[in-house]
Amino acid sequence: MPHSYQPRPEHKFTFGLWTVGNPGGDPFGPPVRNPRSPVELVHLLADAGAYGVNFHDDDLVPIDASPSKRDRIVSDFKDALDETGLTVPMATTNLFSDPAFRDGAFTSHDPEVRDYALQKTMRAMDLGAELGAEVYVFWGGREGAETDAGQPPTDAIKRYREAINYLAEYNADQGYGLRFALEPKPNEPRGNLFFPTVGAMLAFIQTLDRPETVGVNPEVAHEHMSGLNFTHAVAQAHDAGKLFHIDLNDQAFGRYDQDFRFGAESPKRAFFLVRFLEKVGYEGPRHFDAHAHRTSGWEDVRVFAEGCMKTYLILKEKAEQMRADDEIQALLGEINPDGHAQSEAANGFSSEGAASLKERSFDREALGERTQPYERLDQLVTDLLLGVR
Ligand code: GLT
Ligand code: MN
Ligand code: MN
């Protein structure tokens, strides 16, 4: 029976205002779509079937807005949320667009810029908390360098740590209960960004004062830019209890920062990711951090948003099919028998066990002759994904 692939609130599909609101500018040409207001974007997302909307402070309230203008904008936005039932699961700060941040925000050489970045973030946290956000994302867009002739990278790492520690105290002091999610990216807009990968960010988190309140926000495109396997990065974050949020999109390896519709470039990789997230019961938002092509008009932007969610739901259904497929399951059982429980490492160390393992004789040649039918398994998965199974 064909499925409707209709998004529902329990799928927790969210979009940033900056994603569907992207007016199509790029480094070589100006915006091509007339800007839509936050209220209009909330309606666009609600019509497409999304569950929530996220924003940077500046997406909602222009950086130079007066206090009264801010209040009016926030109140109109709240009315739109009430009308549509959309939630705000995540908020973040724009610490990359304004020229003040041209040499970084929390890691800037200039202490006044670092203080301004803290002030801007605290105000943005106030706004996020006011609108009900539970996760607060930190993407260090300008935290990087084109040349290492300046500060040693250790200064940047220390400054970033001081900032996150400070803001974690502010979060506790205000009783906001926000969970911080740090988002790595290897480059763009800077030549090199600090903390370039999920692994780098996970290691950094352990050096913070309140590591328990800080996790990661991995993005498909960002790990692909580094040529890495995104599902493996997400699995490591999940294993560490740090998968607080996720940015779904797509990206060809070795290209500029593309932010394509989820699954548009590498649907098989997207499938393995969805299969993983559903299998481990990831409960956070599925946030699409992507934007429509510059060639799109507003109608096509809506199709883009629907497409992100539809592809996720198709892949989720395919993962269920894979689980129910007897031939595939039999192969998986063959490849991964319950040998785990019998291995010495799984049983744990003891001096006697180690001594006896050192004496055990292995038929190394016989071990080397054992084969695995991954070609068969992978072709069955390919058949399933291509719809002939
Ligand atoms: C920007 C960036 C994203 C970040 C967003 C949050 S903004 O679009 O490319 O990856 O997640 O700051
Ligand atoms: Mn992102
Ligand atoms: Mn991106």
Side-chain angles (χ1 to χ4, degrees):
M1 269 311 273
H3 197 288
S4 74
Y5 307 116
Q6 182 59 42
R8 291 192 303 271
E10 66 264 29
H11 299 132
K12 294 199 180 161
F13 290 138
T14 64
F15 291 81
L17 282 180
W18 70 92
T19 65
V20 281
N22 182 298
D26 69 18
F28 302 92
V32 287
R33 289 185 279 272
N34 293 327
R36 295 255 158 133
S37 71
V39 166
E40 288 172 314
L41 293 170
V42 165
H43 284 281
L44 183 153
L45 286 174
D47 291 348
Y51 158 78
V53 57
N54 308 315
F55 55 81
H56 297 90
D57 48 355
D58 302 348
D59 299 337
L60 185 58
V61 183
I63 194 165
D64 51 5
S66 65
S68 64
K69 184 156 185 219
R70 175 207 188 268
D71 292 348
R72 196 163 358 103
I73 291 171
V74 173
S75 135
D76 289 349
F77 190 67
K78 279 183 178 165
D79 289 347
L81 294 173
D82 287 346
E83 247 174 74
T84 57
L86 246 64
T87 60
V88 175
M90 177 271 263
T92 184
T93 329
N94 185 327
L95 295 172
F96 44 89
S97 294
D98 195 87
F101 303 123
R102 62 205 288 181
D103 191 28
F106 300 147
T107 66
S108 166
H109 283 86
D110 186 336
E112 211 176 339
V113 172
R114 299 205 291 276
D115 284 349
Y116 173 55
L118 281 183
Q119 182 202 68
K120 192 171 191 292
T121 305
M122 288 190 288
R123 290 181 178 174
M125 285 167 67
D126 299 344
L127 179 62
E130 183 182 345
L131 288 162
E134 291 171 358
V135 174
Y136 203 84
V137 162
F138 291 83
W139 174 62
R142 297 276 171 196
E143 315 289 11
E146 283 67 46
T147 168
D148 289 331
Q151 62 178 337
T154 40
D155 280 4
I157 293 166
K158 180 170 167 287
R159 288 170 181 163
Y160 206 72
R161 180 184 303 118
E162 287 165 355
I164 299 295
N165 282 340
Y166 186 98
L167 294 166
E169 291 310 316
Y170 179 71
N171 182 35
D173 193 50
Q174 298 294 310
Y176 285 158
L178 291 162
R179 305 209 309 157
F180 289 3
L182 312 185
E183 179 176 347
K185 187 177 182 185
N187 54 271
E188 285 191 53
R190 302 304 298 267
N192 308 274
L193 291 173
F194 303 122
F195 314 107
T197 61
V198 172
M201 215 49 118
L202 287 172
F204 170 70
I205 289 170
Q206 295 312 314
T207 71
L208 296 170
D209 288 348
R210 292 180 181 264
E212 66 287 353
T213 58
V214 186
V216 287
N217 179 35
E219 174 172 317
V220 178
H222 297 178
E223 298 300 292
H224 283 196
M225 287 171 76
S226 298
L228 298 173
N229 181 315
F230 185 67
T231 299
H232 291 196
V234 166
Q236 198 179 349
H238 170 78
D239 177 73
K242 294 295 183 194
L243 188 59
F244 287 8
H245 200 263
I246 193 164
D247 277 1
L248 302 172
N249 56 11
D250 214 346
Q251 164 83 34
F253 285 58
R255 297 285 169 101
Y256 67 96
D257 178 12
Q258 295 175 310
D259 288 336
F260 283 154
R261 191 179 74 255
F262 181 57
E265 175 65 29
S266 36
K268 193 175 175 194
R269 286 179 186 275
F271 168 69
F272 291 130
L273 173 67
V274 170
R275 177 172 174 252
F276 177 82
L277 292 175
E278 296 300 322
K279 187 173 164 66
V280 300
Y282 166 72
E283 284 183 344
R286 275 93 175 138
H287 174 235
F288 297 104
D289 188 6
H291 55 78
H293 299 160
R294 194 165 189 260
T295 40
S296 297
W298 282 108
E299 180 49 34
D300 210 34
V301 170
R302 183 180 149 157
V303 173
F304 147 85
E306 288 168 348
C308 286
M309 298 184 282
K310 182 177 183 188
T311 299
Y312 190 101
L313 293 174
I314 294 171
L315 296 175
K316 183 177 170 192
E317 187 184 68
K318 294 282 181 189
E320 283 155 17
Q321 271 175 31
M322 184 172 165
R323 211 175 37 242
D325 189 305
D326 290 342
E327 196 178 348
I328 292 179
Q329 291 309 314
L331 264 183
L332 281 173
E334 199 181 302
I335 286 167
N336 195 19
D338 195 20
H340 179 72
Q342 296 136 33
S343 84
E344 289 297 323
N347 291 334
F349 180 85
S350 71
S351 311
E352 307 74 49
S356 116
L357 178 56
K358 281 171 78 180
E359 293 309 316
R360 197 154 120 197
S361 68
F362 289 94
D363 185 345
R364 187 172 46 79
E365 281 179 17
L367 291 179
E369 275 162 21
R370 293 185 191 169
T371 60
Q372 296 286 23
Y374 285 125
E375 289 290 1
R376 217 173 126 211
L377 175 64
D378 192 67
Q379 185 60 45
L380 289 174
V381 172
T382 302
D383 290 352
L384 191 143
L385 290 179
L386 294 181
V388 297
R389 190 165 172 79

